[in-house]
Amino acid sequence: MGDLLRKGFLLGLGAAVSGKEKLESKLKELVDKNELTQEQARTVLRNFVDKGEMKKDEWSDKQYEQTQQMVKDLGIATKEDIDALRARIKELEEKVNLE
């Protein structure tokens, strides 16, 4: 499942890079034709990159949630589970040593 997520992420990243390159080319063409100013082109490109960052963050959040769900479904102990068990063992050892 992790490999599938990685491949999906890489596919999306490739599409984003390709899309950005095409957008830059189109914006340059529009600036050359005086249909857009340099500042307008920069704003459009900045908005495109910002949206890409938002999507990347969404993807990361979804991937994290899916990974956490897989761990839960498979019954794999998390770091928090192990830390809680260690704390409980330490507590029990202290009780046994006091008695």
Side-chain angles (χ1 to χ4, degrees):
M1 182 68 157
D3 191 46
L4 180 63
L5 291 174
R6 187 177 69 76
K7 286 181 182 178
F9 175 76
L10 291 175
L11 178 64
L13 182 61
V17 169
S18 174
K20 183 181 179 222
E21 289 171 354
K22 287 181 182 179
L23 179 61
E24 286 174 335
S25 173
K26 185 63 175 174
L27 290 173
K28 183 180 178 336
E29 181 182 317
L30 291 172
V31 168
D32 290 346
K33 291 180 179 179
N34 291 323
E35 293 179 23
L36 273 181
T37 66
Q38 277 292 109
E39 186 56 36
Q40 289 171 325
R42 275 193 287 271
T43 299
V44 170
L45 188 59
R46 194 173 322 118
N47 289 340
F48 178 81
V49 170
D50 289 346
K51 283 184 182 182
E53 285 295 318
M54 286 179 11
K55 287 297 180 185
K56 182 188 73 136
D57 292 342
E58 278 180 37
W59 177 263
S60 293
D61 291 343
K62 286 180 184 179
Q63 183 178 13
Y64 178 79
E65 290 169 12
Q66 288 176 339
T67 302
Q68 292 301 313
Q69 188 60 48
M70 279 192 325
V71 166
K72 184 178 176 183
D73 291 346
L74 295 172
I76 298 172
T78 64
K79 182 182 182 317
E80 290 81 15
D81 295 334
I82 293 169
D83 289 344
L85 287 172
R86 284 185 177 139
R88 181 73 176 133
I89 289 169
K90 183 177 180 181
E91 181 184 318
L92 291 171
E93 286 175 339
E94 289 171 358
K95 282 185 181 180
V96 168
N97 288 333
L98 289 178
E99 295 174 3

